[in-house]
């Protein structure tokens, strides 16, 4: 729970977190090393100096540290954990659903663990989606269209195998499809950041919600255009939000564009933990005001109501969380966190 | 001269011409010079006219196709200089360094370069995507400059190429972008004679006072996206190579209006639309 300077309590759902193992022991090859190094680049270039971790801390952290950073030091009430396998880079995967599920067990009621699949697996992908539903009752998945697999360097949401997977998700009620459209890993030959495939699947799968992580930041303009037309397309703010510290003016312009085109009902806060920690992000976001000239130019405002929606209420709606009931439940089951 | 193969010749003039050529190579995604972005680490010229260019990117994962476009453009741009015989761009620290360097050396196409992987098509569509975005960003800068100079929407939409050529823009970014905008306007055959409209859509349709506001909103989205990407790329490059770490900027500094990035003076990110000083290339350490 975040308590504002005015004493108001704001319910926070962190829409994008990870529990990864990028340690040298788990790295399979140079790509594994470069992947976690790249994450660290994001961490170090956009974090406030007093929030910097060492490379060692960053590569692998304990479940207790995660609980502490999110729920004790941090203001999160709940967090969505995204699974990212990357088995071509990491011996045991970067963060598989097994690893995430085990971590989440330590704090009942706090985590929503999402699955992941790779449509290039064909029939096996369909079987795996059944397994995710039956074993973990997942409500969402995180897809990396850019993930390497053998000699393939990426896929599109509109590929026939992908359509079959999305059909199955819709049928099983795995309704929230988070799609990584953003920096870091990229397909080889395609326009790495093209978001147009989202447009097609959003039209064809009205029973699914598509949450575009990082708002397709390298293609924010294209993303905005798609989100205007598709009622079931949402934007995740991870990567865009940390600009609030180092480049507040850019952040003001980016959030203004998003508010204008996408709207306050369709944006989700996410810390991208452990790339960033939620406390400073939430504090700065709550206290942020769009400069007057940008407000005028764009004709938008970031009101308290908008902030409440972005920080938690929008995600609660997507994941069918009754916020008032959840508050009571969390109050009655205090955190069990080991001393740091 | 044979014994001095690795010694730069022709003095500073030729090396300066090489840097000048490199500064015309753009990061396609950002429409900014790879020299200004700090991507070029070193340039050398030997007695036989061989040029070696060291080149790096903000992350190991930056798109290989973007990297390939840049390496291709480096070779093309420098080969125009009369004293250049061979160009050897060398991409460092990248997942596709080996392939890109080999492809550049042998003059291979993108598909040939990556023939070991499943690649499809050419990069021409990608080039076109970036050209369109560059056109939009440059056009917006010029129109904003005209507005700041007091031009009405009516005057802007009716201006012709001759008028555009005559006008002197005070706004620094608009003045920088004007010739670059003109270049793309002509290259895309959207204007050719002095009486042709100076401001049209990408499809060549004229703008009107009614359509201009929505048109400008679309251009603004392109610019904001590019500026945010530029800031991200610079930050990642700094984080990776530890040069000129991004300065801490107060949340609401008084002169923020001067810089889109939120910085002012020395705190400017260097990549925003109101960039003040150009990057001065210096000798970079071996990578």
């Amino acid at each position: 729970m975040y308590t504002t300077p005015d004493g108001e309590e704001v319910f926070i759902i962190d829409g994008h977190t990870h529990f990864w193992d990028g340690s040298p022991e788990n790295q399979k090859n140079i790509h594994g090393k470069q992947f976690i190094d790249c994450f660290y680049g994001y961490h170090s270039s956009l974090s406030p100096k007093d929030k910097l971790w060492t490379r060692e801390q960053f590569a692998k952290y304990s479940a207790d540290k995660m609980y502490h950073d999110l729920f004790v030091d941090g203001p999160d009430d709940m967090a969505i954990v995204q699974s990212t396998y990357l088995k071509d880079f990491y011996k045991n995967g970067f963060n598989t659903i097994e690893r995430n599920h085990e971590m989440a067990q330590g704090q009942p009621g706090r985590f929503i663990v999402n699955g992941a699949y790779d449509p290039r697996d064909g029939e096996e992908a369909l079987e795996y989606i059944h397994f995710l539903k039956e074993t973990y009752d997942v409500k969402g998945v995180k897809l990396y269209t850019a993930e390497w697999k053998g000699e393939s360097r990426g896929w599109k949401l509109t590929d026939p195998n992908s359509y079959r997977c999305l059909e199955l998700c819709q049928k099983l009620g795995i309704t929230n499809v988070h799609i990584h459209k953003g920096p870091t890993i990229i397909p080889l030959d395609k326009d790495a950041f093209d978001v147009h495939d989202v447009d097609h699947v959003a039209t064809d799968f009205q029973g699914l919600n598509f949450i575009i992580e990082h708002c397709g930041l390298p293609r924010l303009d294209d993303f905005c255009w798609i989100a205007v037309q598709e009622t079931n397309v949402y934007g995740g703010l991870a990567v865009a939000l940390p600009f609030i510290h180092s480049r507040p003016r850019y952040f003001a312009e980016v959030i203004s564009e998003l508010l204008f085109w996408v709207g306050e009902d369709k944006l989700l806060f996410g810390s991208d933990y452990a790339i960033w920690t939620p406390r400073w992000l939430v504090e700065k976001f709550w206290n942020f005001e769009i400069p007057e000239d940008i407000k005028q130019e764009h004709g938008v405002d970031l009101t308290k109501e908008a902030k409440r929606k972005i920080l938690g209420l929008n995600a609660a709606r997507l994941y069918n969380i009754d916020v008032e009931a959840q508050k009571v439940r969390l109050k009655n089951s205090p955190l069990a966190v080991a001393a740091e | 001269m044979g014994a001095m193969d690795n010694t730069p010749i022709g003095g500073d003039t030729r090396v300066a011409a090489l840097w000048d050529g490199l500064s015309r190579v753009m990061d396609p995604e950002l429409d900014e010079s790879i020299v200004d972005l700090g991507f070029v680490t070193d340039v050398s010229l030997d007695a036989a006219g061989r040029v070696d260019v060291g080149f790096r990117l903000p992350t190991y994962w930056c798109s290989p196709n973007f990297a390939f476009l840049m390496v291709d453009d480096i070779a093309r741009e420098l080969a125009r200089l009369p004293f250049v015989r061979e160009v050897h761009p060398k991409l460092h620290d990248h997942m596709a360094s080996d392939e890109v360097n080999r492809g550049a050396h042998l003059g291979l196409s993108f598909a040939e370069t990556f023939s070991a992987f499943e690649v499809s098509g050419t990069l021409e569509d990608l080039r076109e995507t970036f050209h369109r975005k560059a056109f939009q960003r440059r056009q917006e800068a010029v129109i904003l400059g005209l507005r700041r100079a007091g031009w009405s929407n009516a005057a802007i939409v009716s201006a012709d190429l001759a008028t555009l050529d005559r006008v002197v823009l005070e706004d620094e970014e608009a003045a920088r972008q004007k010739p670059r905008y003109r270049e793309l306007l002509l290259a895309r055959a959207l204007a050719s004679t002095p009486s042709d409209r100076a401001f049209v859509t990408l499809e060549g349709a004229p703008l009107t006072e009614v359509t201009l506001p929505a048109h400008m909103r679309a251009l603004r989205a392109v610019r904001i996206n590019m500026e945010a990407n530029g800031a991200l790329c610079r930050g990642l490059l700094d984080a990776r190579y530890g040069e000129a770490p991004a300065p801490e900027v107060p949340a609401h500094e008084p002169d923020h209006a001067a810089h889109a990035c939120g910085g002012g003076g020395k705190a400017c990110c260097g990549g925003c639309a109101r960039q003040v000083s150009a990057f001065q290339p210096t000798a970079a350490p071996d990578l």
Side-chain angles (χ1 to χ4, degrees), chain A residues 279-294:
Chain A
R279 181 173 165 179
W280 68 270
L281 288 169
V282 170
E283 285 173 355
K284 280 181 186 278
F285 183 68
W286 186 264
N287 293 311
F288 188 78
E289 284 189 28
I290 300 174
E292 198 56 38
D293 62 318
I294 295 181

Side-chain angles (χ1 to χ4, degrees), chain A residues 58-110:
Chain A
F58 191 81
K60 187 180 183 181
Y61 42 89
S62 68
D64 280 337
K65 176 157 179 60
M66 182 155 171
Y67 306 148
H68 183 271
D69 289 341
L70 299 185
F71 307 121
V72 181
D73 180 59
D76 292 359
D77 289 286
M78 297 181 73
I80 301 172
V81 193
Q82 311 288 8
S83 300
T84 313
Y85 287 63
L86 297 176
K87 288 205 166 172
D88 276 17
F89 300 170
Y90 295 98
K91 292 170 196 162
N92 302 315
F94 192 53
N95 54 76
T96 58
I97 195 163
E98 288 79 11
R99 178 176 166 82
N100 291 331
H101 178 74
E102 193 187 327
M103 178 282 296
Q105 293 290 86
Q107 297 295 344
R110 292 277 175 180

Side-chain angles (χ1 to χ4, degrees), chain B residues 147 153 208-218:
Chain B
R147 280 186 171 171
N153 285 349
T208 67
E209 281 183 81
V210 177
T211 59
L212 189 63
H215 180 75
M216 291 300 286
R217 266 202 298 278

Side-chain angles (χ1 to χ4, degrees), chain A residues 71-264:
Chain A
F71 307 121
V72 181
D73 180 59
D76 292 359
D77 289 286
M78 297 181 73
I80 301 172
V81 193
Q82 311 288 8
S83 300
T84 313
Y85 287 63
L86 297 176
K87 288 205 166 172
D88 276 17
F89 300 170
Y90 295 98
K91 292 170 196 162
N92 302 315
F94 192 53
N95 54 76
T96 58
I97 195 163
E98 288 79 11
R99 178 176 166 82
N100 291 331
H101 178 74
E102 193 187 327
M103 178 282 296
Q105 293 290 86
Q107 297 295 344
R110 292 277 175 180
F111 288 102
I112 296 164
V113 179
N114 279 344
Y117 63 78
D118 188 332
R120 291 169 296 189
D121 292 334
E123 285 301 320
E124 281 178 28
L126 298 173
E127 282 167 30
Y128 193 66
I129 293 168
H130 278 292
F131 165 81
L132 289 173
K133 187 68 195 174
E134 285 157 19
T135 315
Y136 301 107
D137 192 24
V138 295
K139 306 283 190 298
V141 285
K142 168 84 184 284
L143 305 179
Y144 268 79
T145 55
E147 189 164 347
W148 292 18
K149 185 180 176 62
E151 294 191 344
S152 162
R153 292 293 182 264
W155 53 279
K156 278 190 173 294
L157 292 164
T158 46
D159 291 346
N161 276 338
S162 165
Y163 259 71
R164 294 167 70 205
C165 290
L166 292 171
E167 275 161 12
L168 183 59
C169 284
Q170 187 165 263
K171 187 175 145 207
L172 296 178
I174 303 173
T175 50
N176 297 309
V177 182
H178 296 250
I179 303 163
H180 178 101
K181 286 284 185 184
T184 314
I185 59 172
I186 35 88
L188 189 65
D189 60 325
K190 298 183 181 71
D191 180 354
F193 307 119
D194 187 22
V195 289
H196 289 99
D197 53 343
V198 176
D199 205 355
H200 296 281
V201 294
T203 302
D204 290 346
F205 295 97
Q206 292 290 322
L208 299 177
N209 303 309
F210 294 91
I211 301 102
I212 311 308
E213 298 298 345
H214 320 306
C215 302
L217 188 62
R219 291 294 153 75
L220 184 72
D221 44 338
D222 296 339
F223 164 71
C224 285
W225 192 242
I226 290 167
V228 168
Q229 299 173 63
E230 305 294 342
T231 53
N232 53 342
V233 170
Y234 295 74
L237 286 179
V239 178
L241 187 53
F243 274 105
I244 204 168
H245 167 68
S246 56
R247 302 273 180 256
R249 182 100 183 150
Y250 276 152
F251 176 72
E253 292 199 301
V254 167
I255 195 76
S256 297
E257 281 295 291
L258 290 168
L259 289 168
F260 180 84
W261 296 102
V262 187
E264 64 186 47

Side-chain angles (χ1 to χ4, degrees), chain A residues 31 153 184 189-190 217, chain B residues 60-61 65 117 120 133 225:
Chain A
H31 306 311
R153 292 293 182 264
T184 314
D189 60 325
K190 298 183 181 71
L217 188 62
Chain B
Y60 179 79
W61 305 99
N65 40 16
F117 301 103
S120 57
K133 286 175 189 281
N225 180 58

